[in-house]
Amino acid sequence: MERLIEGFQHFRATYFEENKTLFETLAQSGQKPKALLIGCSDSRVDPGLLFGTQPGEMFVIRNVANLVPPFETTGTYHGTSAAIEFAIRRLEVEHAVVLGHAGCGGVRALIEQSAADGTNFVRPWMDIARTARDRCLALAHSAGKTIDYAREMCEKETVAVSLANLMTFPWIRERVEQKRLTLHGWWFDVEKGTLWRLDCQSNTFQQIA
């Protein structure tokens, strides 16, 4: 905790002082981000650091394995869906990015199953991507590939699953069809520092940075 307090003191004395006008504007006029980013809660993947954004530029949702549940209104708690709704319908962002990453613990739990034993929430949450898991394991097995190959494939496949689930929200589909909203799927390699983009035409990831 001392490390966090020291960090805040440094932020207050440097970044905040250097950008006081920005914070005053944000406090008075509210947020007007152009992009929504749905990323993983993994502490190694910091969207603001990766993309060099300032406060107010990007609306960020983080959860286990950057998953978007399909649209439905019968459940009790919809934290991710509520945040998506706020970003799309209230803030009217123009872009929505799903950001996956290498070494995702949620995907590891999904692929290996036993990694999620004893958890109350991880396994049922990861069931959102169960079809991706089954597909990736089958493809890896038929190609004679390792479990690590299946895991990386599934990390990318969960991005595609989340993009497909976004389109089940009627007000997202409407905005996409009207070209008021553009969806993007990205995958970040933590070790190599590379960024990959999903090409929806070929259903493959291509390196962009």
Side-chain angles (χ1 to χ4, degrees):
M1 291 300 101
E2 290 181 2
R3 167 68 183 85
L4 297 183
I5 293 172
E6 289 174 359
F8 175 76
Q9 291 172 336
H10 178 72
F11 156 79
R12 183 63 177 81
T14 56
Y15 189 91
F16 183 83
E17 287 297 324
E18 295 165 2
N19 296 274
K20 290 187 72 172
T21 301
L22 169 63
F23 284 97
E24 289 172 358
T25 300
L26 291 173
Q28 295 168 9
S29 63
Q31 57 176 325
K32 296 181 177 65
K34 296 296 185 182
L36 159 67
L37 185 138
I38 303 164
C40 184
S41 299
D42 194 301
S43 60
R44 299 166 296 178
V45 185
D46 185 330
L49 179 64
L50 289 181
F51 303 113
T53 57
Q54 290 188 326
E57 289 186 329
M58 184 167 62
F59 190 91
V60 178
I61 302 168
R62 299 179 71 172
N63 61 39
V64 175
N66 43 268
L67 290 178
V68 173
F71 177 82
E72 59 91 13
T73 59
T74 59
T76 304
Y77 299 108
H78 299 285
T80 294
S81 298
I84 290 171
E85 181 177 46
F86 185 78
I88 302 295
R89 304 184 78 179
R90 181 63 62 85
L91 300 179
E92 298 185 329
V93 297
E94 299 173 4
H95 298 271
V97 179
V98 177
L99 176 67
H101 70 94
C104 179
V107 172
R108 177 184 291 274
L110 178 66
I111 289 289
E112 299 179 4
Q113 293 297 294
S114 61
D117 286 347
T119 63
N120 293 317
F121 306 110
V122 174
R123 176 169 285 182
W125 173 254
M126 291 306 302
D127 277 347
I128 294 171
R130 178 170 290 278
T131 56
R133 169 191 180 271
D134 294 343
R135 177 175 178 272
C136 293
L137 285 175
L139 289 173
H141 178 74
S142 63
K145 300 293 186 178
T146 64
I147 193 72
D148 289 338
Y149 177 88
R151 188 164 55 242
E152 180 176 318
M153 183 189 301
C154 194
E155 289 166 355
K156 296 174 180 177
E157 192 68 20
T158 57
V159 173
V161 167
S162 288
L163 288 175
N165 285 346
L166 281 172
M167 289 295 285
T168 66
F169 290 73
W171 26 268
I172 289 181
R173 175 174 290 277
E174 179 184 27
R175 283 166 171 76
V176 170
E177 291 175 348
Q178 294 174 347
K179 300 188 184 305
R180 295 163 56 196
L181 175 68
T182 304
L183 305 184
H184 310 267
W186 295 348
W187 180 81
F188 172 61
D189 189 321
V190 178
E191 182 177 2
K192 298 178 181 177
T194 53
L195 186 66
W196 300 70
R197 175 180 57 207
L198 176 61
D199 183 334
C200 294
Q201 298 298 321
S202 63
N203 198 33
T204 60
F205 277 80
Q206 301 175 357
Q207 188 173 338
I208 58 174

